[in-house]
Structure formats: structure tokens, C-alpha cells
Amino acid sequence: MLPFLTSFLLLLCHQASAGGDGRPSLARQFLGPHNAARSVLRLRPLAWDPRLARYAEWYANRRRGDCALVHSAGPYGENIFWGSGSGWTPAQAVAAWVSERKRYRYGSNSCAGGWEKCGHYTQIVWRTTRRLGCARINCAGGRGVFIVCDYDPPVDTAFQLRPL
């Protein structure tokens, strides 16, 4: 009887961490690739923050009508992503941001080609960032998928990467 109870409790825990349908929860879909990128640099993992997720969802819903790649200008660090079609996943958005690492120069703490060429990656691996919240929406009229992740604390606003 005890093994059955243990298996049942493990199943419940799995479904709670997943979406109930066996798929990982949205939080896990975002946290996994973020924390994988951070672990390569031996940085502590980010934690999911429901407050940041609500902010990201609020902002994503504001972009639902136009899917514009415009930042919220809110109090958090922020990465945004747009993809045409409807199949874009959190992992694909994070992979696009992490792909900027090839432009980041650790020795000089700078981006080859300027801040905009590796700023998404920098936000993901910023040493002092601790919390993450994200949202994914389908844009109106089949205009694609809009994904936003907010980070706290953000990259220090006084910090400016120097172009090489």
C-alpha cells in the first residue's frame, strides 16, 4: 500500500509542476533554459516570481493587438521576442536571446558591435538578477507569438557595455 501512495504523491507533485496534462508548467518552460545558460557560468539559478509573471502577462496582453517589439519601459529588466506563426516555445525565445553570447566579450565586459548586440544575453546572465517572470501570447489576427520576460533586479542602469 505504501509504494502505491508514494507513487500517487509523486504523480500529484509532477502534475502540479507540470500543467496537469504532463507538460512542464510555463514557469518551468522558461526557467529551464534560463538556468541552463546561467549554470554554464556557475551562476545561481533564477527563481520564478509570480509578481513579475503578472507584469509580463499584463504587458504581453497590451501587445496582443500589434505584436510590436517595444519594451514596456517598466521597472524591470526585460527581454522581448516575436515570431511569425503560432508554434514558438519559451525555449526557442530563450535560445534566441542566449545565441547573443557569441558577441559578448567577458574579458572587457562588452559587446562586439554595441549593447544591442548582446543585451538580451547579458540580462539572462546578469550576476545580481535573482527573479524571473514571463508570458507568451498569440497575437491577434494570427500575427505571431509575442514573448516577454521580466527580470529583477535588472541589469544596473548605470552600467553601459562598451562597444569593441
Side-chain angles (χ1 to χ4, degrees), residues 20-96:
D21 57 4
R23 289 187 314 217
S25 68
L26 189 64
R28 287 189 183 270
Q29 290 178 54
F30 280 110
L31 277 171
H34 274 88
N35 287 333
R38 291 177 66 85
S39 73
V40 168
L41 301 174
R42 297 188 176 118
L43 295 171
R44 81 194 259 194
L46 298 175
W48 188 257
D49 186 315
R51 176 180 48 99
L52 291 172
R54 282 191 302 274
Y55 181 85
E57 186 174 5
W58 167 81
Y59 186 65
N61 281 318
R62 288 194 63 203
R63 296 270 62 102
R64 186 180 300 275
D66 62 11
C67 243
L69 285 172
V70 177
H71 286 279
S72 71
Y76 309 114
E78 189 170 78
N79 284 343
I80 56 177
F81 172 90
W82 173 83
S84 65
S86 62
W88 293 95
T89 66
Q92 289 170 314
V94 177

Side-chain angles (χ1 to χ4, degrees), residues 144-156:
V145 171
F146 185 83
I147 294 174
V148 59
C149 287
D150 287 286
Y151 305 83
D152 191 49
V155 170
D156 183 353

Side-chain angles (χ1 to χ4, degrees), residues 74-77 115 123 126 128 153-161:
Y76 309 114
W115 169 255
Q123 182 61 75
W126 195 249
T128 60
V155 170
D156 183 353
T157 56
F159 176 78
Q160 293 296 320
L161 290 175

